[in-house]
Amino acid sequence: MAADLQDELIRELAAKHGVVLGRDDPILMLTTIQEHMLRKLNEGQSEALAEFQRTMELSMTTWSEDAREKAQRIVNGALEASKRVMAQNAEAAAAEFGKVLERKVGEMEVRLNAAREERSSTLVVVSIASGLALVVAVVGLFI
């Protein structure tokens, strides 16, 4: 492969500069040195890139965990707030229900008392009428 690169370089130098080099020209050592340096540079960049990738993956994992924890705290906070609001609403509804119930029970007591009084009045009238009828019957026996 290096021979192909050297042949290509010899042709390019001849075309551009009009200089024809032989395969054994010492200047061609520079191409070998450059190839070696490029290989080492590529290896170093590959290692640096792999290390960077590992660092980024670790950072992404850390960020993901942090984001998950923050989201969980937000959800838990919202849930707690929702529970508090629901409890307050339930207490308010229960208090209102208690007031309505008290009012209705009061109304029922008034109605029951009125019915008792009406029934009591009717009983008094019936008792008086019965008593009178008894007196009339007793008097009628003696007459």
Side-chain angles (χ1 to χ4, degrees), residues 2-142:
D4 290 342
L5 288 175
Q6 284 182 347
D7 287 341
E8 184 180 331
L9 181 61
I10 290 170
R11 283 192 301 276
E12 191 173 331
L13 287 172
K16 280 188 177 180
H17 302 287
V19 176
V20 177
L21 300 177
R23 291 184 126 296
D24 57 350
D25 194 316
I27 193 84
L28 293 178
M29 285 189 304
L30 290 176
T31 61
T32 304
I33 292 170
Q34 285 177 339
E35 286 174 9
H36 176 75
M37 288 173 51
L38 283 173
R39 262 195 319 275
K40 289 296 182 184
L41 180 64
N42 282 340
E43 289 171 7
Q45 285 180 340
S46 294
E47 289 174 16
L49 182 60
E51 179 63 28
F52 178 73
Q53 187 174 2
R54 284 190 295 274
T55 302
M56 288 304 294
E57 287 172 356
L58 181 61
S59 294
M60 285 176 36
T61 300
T62 302
W63 294 335
S64 175
E65 289 171 0
D66 289 346
R68 186 177 304 117
E69 289 173 7
K70 287 177 184 176
Q72 189 64 40
R73 283 195 303 265
I74 289 169
V75 167
N76 287 342
L79 183 60
E80 288 301 316
S82 177
K83 285 180 182 178
R84 281 192 302 273
V85 168
M86 287 178 62
Q88 290 170 350
N89 289 343
E91 286 177 21
E96 185 62 30
F97 179 73
K99 289 176 186 176
V100 169
L101 190 59
E102 269 184 44
R103 192 172 62 242
K104 292 297 181 182
V105 166
E107 290 173 5
M108 296 274 296
E109 285 177 346
V110 167
R111 287 181 187 166
L112 281 173
N113 287 337
R116 281 184 193 145
E117 286 177 14
E118 186 179 310
R119 193 174 57 198
S120 179
S121 299
T122 305
L123 273 174
V124 169
V125 170
V126 169
S127 294
I128 292 173
S130 296
L132 268 170
L134 183 61
V135 170
V136 170
V138 171
V139 171
L141 283 176
F142 291 113

